Every structure is written in structure tokens, then in C-alpha cells.
């Protein structure tokens, strides 16, 4: 029996999905019979077999077609795409999507809808696949759904955005932020408005999804602390190099642990991190992605690969599609459910703080006094040779403390006469 697929969207990823399913697999078990696009006359960079596949501009042509069993949504966005996905599920059609923003924003509603539809045992169950929504071609979703059932996950952390990883890599080689951003835009890695990438919003949506998978709890994305890369400079990389580290934009979901027991509240956040060069996450270069999962049984396991691109992302969409076709897709998109974990996004970490200052007497003493006032213990003070006394930098690293404490400390430092700007601060991986 052939599963008929209706695909919404025919851009970069959609074209890859079509080519893999129709040209490479050529499977008798699945075929794309309709594609919904905004402009049917727009030239495509892939060939559509019009004898098999009809191009339509009205999504209801797919949603109301009883011959279509599965809807693949690769259009993106959270308005039109949401309406189409929800209507497909309500209509008894399974859905495969690469839309991380949609899933993160409407996570609980999607789970509830799938459960409601599948409560009617007289009808075929619908499935919801979303492998391509996080880390493109890395099969991290399916891994967390199936490979940790007898394990307890303590932490999931990942480099989940190829654009910012590319940019930070260039900055590590000495390039300025503005030049790197333009290069990323010229290469098509970054959008004309790069906010979703550089401000960390893309990673925030992805880590919310991974947190739900790993810990069974929904963390509203608007409660997740999110620090992007816009304030990072080559100066930070110089200090990082002196410490045997690099800087990566990392999404983190971790159970807090005072004595290593990992049974505390769940903290979820996005921030640049100072990462030791021998850490698993430091190995992700260029546009690559990497995820590290720490668990009771396995210790730390890592997963790396391409985080974006036509065929990398399309491969994950097709993998989900074939799991639906072969009835091996999980019945629940988020098998782990828990209501016993508290959420506390005032996370605990050692921190890196860069202070830009006009040189003078007593600056370090003042910083120490302010740190003491906020209960922050200083671990070390680093100073590159001063070449301009009117514009210099120093770095303070802290012992483990709360995000709120360091944030308050930096706000106080910014008010001091010697401060030239707000300090740049972000967490460090210091216990590796």
C-alpha cells in the first residue's frame, strides 16, 4: 500500500525532501502527490514530476484530500504553518515537520491534540515527527525518544545553530563581528535580519524541545534566559585562548546538583560559553552542530554533524516520513512525561566577566568589593598587557554562583566611573 504525501513548502529543504523520496528512494510505499506553494509559477531548483505530483496554492487541497495520509510541513513560521499542522492532525493525517519555532511555542497543544485524536481507537492513529527541527541532520530527537528509556538524563547541552558557530569560528581566527556577520549573510548562512540567530532565539526554541524530550517537562520559551553573541569580540577569544578554551553559543538544559546527585530543579538557558578545547562541544567547527548528553548509565555521549543544509535537513524529514510509513514512529512525540521537576532558570555556573575600563587606581579592589556585596566569589583575574590606558580590558572569573548574582554584579560595575560599557559575561564549563 502506498502512502500518499502532501508537502507544504517547496524551498531549500522541501526540494531536498522531494528529490530524496521521489528520485532516490523511488519507493512503492511512499509518494508525494501534492505540493502546496504560494506561487505555482515560481521557478524551482528541483524537478517536479507533474505526472505524479500536483502543485497547488490552496492548502485545503491537501488537508481535504482523503487520499493523502501524511502531511510534510517545511514552510516554516508559526501562523499559517500552525493552522495547517493542527488541521492535518484533526483530520486524521500524520504530520512530519522541521518547524522548531512552531513546536517550541505550541508544544503542549500539539501533544494534547495528538492524544485527543488518537483516543478514538476506531481510527488509525496519527503520528507526529519532528527530527529535523533540532540540529538538522543529527538524529538527536529519535535518540532521545528511544535510546534513554532505561536511563536518567542529567544534562543536555548543544551547539544548535550553524550560523553562529560559523561566525564564532571566524572571530576566533581574528575577524571582527561585523565583518563575519556580513560574510555569513553573503554566503546565505544568515538572514538579512539575523536576530533569530545572533540573539540566540533559534537555539532557545531548540533547547526547549530537547528539554521536553530529556526531562518530560515543558519550559515556556519566554522564561528561558537568552544571551546571544552580539557582544562577543576578538578580545574574548584572546582571553579564552590563554585559558585553553574557545567560545561557543550553547543551549543547556540541566538538573541542578549541589553534591553531584542531579536531583534538583531544571535550569534551561542559552548563552555563549567558555568551553575547554578538549570538551566534546569544542569539536564542532564551521556550520557544524553538536549535542552532549550526560546520563546516569552512559556518562557523557556526544552527537555531531551538519546542523543545516538542503540534504542534511531533508534526510531527517525523510527518516521521519519513512518511520510513519513503516509504523515505527513513536506513538507519543514526547514519551517522557514528568510533573515532579521544578523549573529554576536562575542557573548556577562559574562565570567569565570581561570589564572594559579606563585605567586608574583601585579598580580591582572596587570590583572585589562589589562582588562580595553580591555574594560572588572571584576565582581568578586575568589581564592582557595594556596598550591604551583610556580603553583597556580585564577579565574576572568566578566560582560557581547564580546567574542573577552575576547579572546584578555587572549592573553595579557598569555604574562605576571607570567602566566604559556594560561588562560582558557568560558561563564557563569549568568542571570538565
Amino acid at each position: 500500500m502506498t502512502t500518499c504525501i502532501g508537502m507544504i513548502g517547496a524551498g531549500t529543504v522541501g526540494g531536498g525532501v522531494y528529490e530524496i523520496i521521489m528520485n532516490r528512494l523511488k519507493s512503492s510505499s511512499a509518494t508525494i502527490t501534492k505540493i502546496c506553494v504560494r506561487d505555482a509559477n515560481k521557478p524551482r531548483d528541483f524537478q517536479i514530476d507533474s505526472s505524479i505530483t500536483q502543485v497547488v496554492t490552496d492548502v485545503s487541497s491537501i488537508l481535504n484530500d482523503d487520499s493523502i495520509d501524511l502531511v510534510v510541513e517545511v514552510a516554516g513560521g508559526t501562523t499559517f504553518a500552525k493552522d495547517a499542522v493542527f488541521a492535518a492532525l484533526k483530520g486524521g493525517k500524520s504530520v512530519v515537520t522541521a518547524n522548531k519555532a512552531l513546536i517550541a511555542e505550541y508544544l503542549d497543544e500539539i501533544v494534547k491534540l495528538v492524544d485527543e485524536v488518537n483516543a478514538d481507537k476506531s481510527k488509525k492513529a496519527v503520528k507526529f515527527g519532528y527530527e529535523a527541527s533540532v540540529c538538522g541532520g543529527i538524529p538527536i530527537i529519535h535518540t532521545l525518544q528511544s535510546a534513554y528509556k532505561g536511563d536518567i538524563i542529567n544534562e543536555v547541552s548543544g551547539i544548535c545553530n550553524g550560523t553562529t558557530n560559523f561566525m564564532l569560528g571566524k572571530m576566533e581566527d581574528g575577524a571582527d563581528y561585523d565583518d563575519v556577520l556580513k560574510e555569513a549573510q553573503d554566503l546565505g548562512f544568515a538572514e538579512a535580519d539575523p536576530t533569530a540567530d545572533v540573539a540566540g532565539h533559534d537555539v532557545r526554541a531548540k533547547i526547549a524541545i530537547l528539554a521536553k524530550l530529556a526531562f518530560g517537562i515543558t519550559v515556556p520559551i519566554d522564561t528561558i534566559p537568552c544571551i546571544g553573541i552580539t557582544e562577543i569580540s576578538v578580545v574574548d577569544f584572546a582571553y579564552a585562548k590563554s585559558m585553553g578554551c574557545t567560545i561557543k553559543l550553547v543551549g543547556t538544559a540541566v538538573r541542578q546538583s549541589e553534591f553531584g546527585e542531579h536531583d534538583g530543579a531544571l535550569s534551561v538557558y542559552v548563552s555563549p560559553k567558555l568551553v575547554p578545547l578538549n570538551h566534546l562541544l569544542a569539536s564542532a567547527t564551521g556550520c557544524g552542530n553538536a549535542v552532549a548528553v550526560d546520563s546516569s548509565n552512559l556518562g557523557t555521549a556526544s552527537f555531531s554533524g551538519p546542523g543545516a543544509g538542503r540534504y542534511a535537513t531533508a534526510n531527517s524529514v525523510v527518516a521521519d516520513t519513512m518511520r510513519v510509513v513503516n509504523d515505527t514512529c513513536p506513538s507519543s512525540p514526547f514519551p517522557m512525561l514528568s510533573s515532579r521537576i521544578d523549573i529554576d532558570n536562575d542557573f548556577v555556573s562559574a562565570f567569565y566577566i570581561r570589564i572594559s575600563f579606563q585605567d586608574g587606581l583601585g579598580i580591582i579592589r572596587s570590583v572585589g568589593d562589589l562582588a562580595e556585596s553580591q555574594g560572588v566569589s572571584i576565582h581568578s583575574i586575568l589581564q592582557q598587557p595594556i596598550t591604551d590606558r583610556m580603553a583597556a580590558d580585564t577579565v574576572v572569573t568566578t566560582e560557581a554562583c547564580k546567574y542573577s548574582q552575576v547579572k546584578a554584579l555587572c549592573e553595579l560595575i557598569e555604574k562605576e566611573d571607570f567602566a566604559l560599557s556594560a561588562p560582558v559575561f557568560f558561563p564557563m564549563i569549568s568542571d570538565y
Side-chain angles (χ1 to χ4, degrees):
M1 179 178 176
T2 301
T3 297
C4 294
I5 300 168
M7 187 166 72
I8 302 172
T12 299
V13 175
V17 171
Y18 190 88
E19 289 179 337
I20 294 173
I21 291 178
M22 303 301 286
N23 301 336
R24 293 187 193 174
L25 291 181
K26 296 180 180 179
S27 172
S28 60
S29 61
T31 187
I32 299 174
T33 58
K34 286 184 180 178
I35 300 176
C36 180
V37 297
R38 281 181 288 190
D39 182 0
N41 297 317
K42 178 181 177 180
R44 311 285 166 191
D45 61 357
F46 63 99
Q47 293 295 317
I48 298 175
D49 186 344
S50 59
S51 67
I52 299 174
T53 306
Q54 179 185 1
V55 178
V56 301
T57 57
D58 184 357
V59 72
S60 63
S61 176
I62 289 176
L63 299 176
N64 297 331
D65 188 338
D66 292 338
S67 71
I68 290 178
D69 310 290
L70 170 62
V71 172
V72 172
E73 185 275 308
V74 285
T78 57
T79 51
F80 166 77
K82 180 210 172 203
D83 293 340
V85 166
F86 277 52
L89 291 170
K90 289 176 182 177
K93 301 181 192 302
S94 293
V95 170
V96 170
T97 180
N99 196 331
K100 74 268 181 180
L102 173 68
I103 299 167
E105 187 168 344
Y106 297 103
L107 197 155
D108 285 340
E109 290 92 330
I110 292 170
V111 173
K112 181 180 178 182
L113 179 55
V114 170
D115 290 343
E116 287 176 351
V117 172
N118 290 341
D120 186 349
K121 301 302 181 183
S122 65
K123 297 180 180 179
K124 184 178 180 180
V126 298
K127 302 295 177 66
F128 184 81
Y130 56 102
E131 182 66 72
S133 67
V134 179
C135 294
I138 304 174
I140 188 62
I141 300 295
H142 187 63
T143 299
L144 290 175
Q145 285 175 327
S146 60
Y148 285 86
K149 290 185 176 179
D151 206 344
I152 298 173
I153 295 176
N154 303 321
E155 178 176 357
V156 178
S157 59
I159 298 166
C160 305
N161 183 274
T163 298
T164 51
N165 203 48
F166 167 82
M167 292 175 63
L168 290 172
K170 289 287 185 177
M171 291 172 68
E172 187 170 24
D173 293 336
D176 289 328
Y177 174 86
D178 289 339
D179 294 337
V180 170
L181 175 58
K182 185 178 185 303
E183 182 180 358
Q185 290 170 324
D186 290 344
L187 291 171
F189 297 156
E191 301 290 342
D193 179 0
T195 303
D197 292 325
V198 300
H201 300 163
D202 176 75
V203 178
R204 182 174 60 182
K206 293 172 179 176
I207 197 62
I209 294 170
L210 294 181
K212 176 69 171 180
L213 270 170
F215 301 101
I217 189 167
T218 301
V219 184
I221 57 175
D222 59 359
T223 68
I224 297 174
C226 190
I227 304 172
I229 68 166
T230 55
E231 301 303 319
I232 302 298
S233 77
V234 292
V235 174
D236 296 305
F237 279 102
Y239 278 108
K241 183 178 180 180
S242 72
M243 300 167 69
C245 295
T246 186
I247 301 170
K248 299 290 187 181
L249 182 64
V250 181
T252 303
V254 58
R255 292 290 298 272
Q256 293 185 12
S257 175
E258 187 174 358
F259 302 108
E261 69 283 4
H262 295 289
D263 62 354
L266 176 67
S267 294
V268 183
Y269 59 96
V270 176
S271 176
K273 270 191 178 181
L274 204 68
V275 180
L277 292 174
N278 62 345
H279 191 278
L280 299 167
L281 295 181
S283 63
T285 59
C287 289
N289 282 192
V291 178
V293 181
D294 180 75
S295 67
S296 296
N297 294 344
L298 296 183
T300 301
S302 63
F303 309 86
S304 61
R310 163 168 278 186
Y311 295 111
T313 307
N315 187 74
S316 290
V317 173
V318 173
D320 266 344
T321 299
M322 298 314 296
R323 279 192 280 266
V324 172
V325 169
N326 298 325
D327 200 27
T328 58
C329 187
S331 57
S332 173
F334 294 92
M336 167 75 78
L337 295 174
S338 176
S339 59
R340 296 175 296 171
I341 301 176
D342 294 329
I343 300 172
D344 181 3
N345 288 337
D346 190 11
F347 61 93
V348 174
S349 175
F351 282 86
Y352 165 104
I353 305 171
R354 174 170 58 84
I355 303 166
S356 297
F357 64 93
Q358 180 177 319
D359 197 17
L361 294 174
I363 292 175
I364 296 301
R365 183 186 64 213
S366 296
V367 171
D369 290 343
L370 293 173
E372 182 180 4
S373 75
Q374 298 305 310
V376 175
S377 177
I378 292 176
H379 176 76
S380 67
I381 298 171
L382 307 174
Q383 177 74 68
Q384 299 283 2
I386 295 176
T387 58
D388 182 354
R389 304 189 75 85
M390 301 302 291
D393 295 280
T394 190
V395 165
V396 172
T397 65
T398 76
E399 300 289 347
C401 58
K402 290 186 176 182
Y403 167 75
S404 61
Q405 292 175 287
V406 173
K407 186 172 184 288
L409 169 60
C410 289
E411 289 171 352
L412 291 175
I413 293 173
E414 184 182 6
K415 295 176 182 177
E416 292 292 308
D417 291 339
F418 60 77
L420 298 177
S421 59
V424 174
F425 70 98
F426 46 84
M428 306 166 53
I429 297 178
S430 59
D431 55 352
Y432 181 71

